[in-house]
Amino acid sequence: MDKLIVEGGHLLKGSVNISGSKNASLPILAAALLTDDPVRISRVPDVSDTNYMLQILSQLGASVERSSGTVRIDSPDGISSSASYEQVRKMRASICLLGPMMARMNRCTLPLPGGCVIGDRPVDLHVRAIQALGARVRVKGGNLVIEAPNGLVGATVDMRGDNGPTVLGTDNLMMAAVLARGTTVIESAAREPEVVDLANFLNKMGAHIEGAGSRTITIHGVERLHGCQHTVIPDRIEAGTFMVAGALISEGITINRVCQEHLTALADLLVECGHTVRFSEDGSSVFVAPGTSPKGGKITTSPYPGFPTDMQAQMTALFSVTPGISVVRDTIFPQRFMHCSELKRMGANIKMDNGTAIITGTDRLSGAPVMASDLRASAALVLAALAAEGTTEIHRLYHIDRGYEMLDDKLLGLGAYVRRVPDPKEPAAQAI
Ligand code: EPU
């Protein structure tokens, strides 16, 4: 295992290129199982989560080739309908195999994902969706055992849960429905850009999906899907993380290969807090610089196009050194505040109150040994460390490697003082 040593206080400058989206790639890679033709997917980030997904696909019998960001997947007849706990437990997002496995084989055995540090993360909506298409679901030996001996049949399904729509649940239902008999209507569908990217990919494979990106998605089932070529959208959370870095400690940085439309909520917030945010005319790059008199702000996370839960930890790091009082509330994962206790070890003034963090900005954080607890919490610690006085050691770096491609190299390119070194005392990577 590695740790990251960050010497804080150096102004970032220059430009950085954003990778393809991790959260778009994962369901798209799983969707390759929907055809026995080869598919080619470009700009798949080389992060451990996409690698776990590719390992699971290989284990199921698909052949996988990867070269410089492009993945070719070939899933001939005879792939297995049963995924192993050893593979699945490494990544909760492996639940998105449920839809394609059911569509392709009308049965699957998928280990139930376990607990997770960012919250309870149930799968009841995934189960409800596949049952609505006529499947029978049992839990046996820690596995979801799902069967639809007569095939899946289209239905109208409302995907809203207590905390809003579900992203991977919407993905699963869409993937299950593309080969089902008849029409499926998803009500209260997630509108995230990653759902739209998956729908675009499926349509390239010959699916008939309308309305992705809106609250209602309609899928007309087809007989078979075919191979295609697809390029994954830019990672809006990686882009957002660098935008926060630009507002936090830089002479101004340019972030390339972004999609402006996907960054509206964050860009608006940074501007409201007094920072400079300037998109290029075509919206594919953005310049961000700290404001001369920045002020705190208020965030309540909500489903897209609202403020993303995956960006609240990074904003908490920025608010920790922004004058005034800021308030961060996460309605999607109300327990996702593990980063706060580590930020406090660096001198941040944060009070927790029932799913809300109240942050009083301090002049300067100070470097400290800290522990990453999940992907976005780690990103928050890296940001805090860049701005802190002195040296910070971030342990359990494997959390960041799950979703940020070459983060240390990209930061070095922007002039940060960061160094990845082995951390032999750390335990092996844990699932999230
Ligand atoms: N929920 C249920 N029942 C379900 C599924 C979800 O109650 O069956 C709840 C969740 O507990 C949560 C809310 O619904 O309160 C939304 O969760 P969602 O299902 O949308 O989360 P997800 O699809 O499992 C994806 C991203 C997460 C991101 C969330 C929310 C991927 C691989 N993961 O997870 O990304 O936080 O949507 O936007 O796409 C990350 O990248 O760090 C990450 C955690």
Side-chain angles (χ1 to χ4, degrees), residues 22-24 26-27 93 95 118 120-127 161-169 171 192 194 236-237 309-310 331-334 336 374-376:
K22 164 188 84 91
N23 287 349
L26 292 172
I95 190 71
I118 71 174
D120 185 22
R121 306 194 77 180
V123 293
D124 56 311
L125 297 171
H126 300 254
V127 168
D162 292 344
N163 295 343
T166 157
V167 176
L168 290 178
D171 289 345
E192 270 65 6
E194 294 76 17
R236 65 191 168 105
I237 306 300
T309 170
D310 292 343
T331 59
I332 296 171
F333 295 117
R336 195 179 201 179
D374 71 76
L375 175 58
R376 308 306 171 188

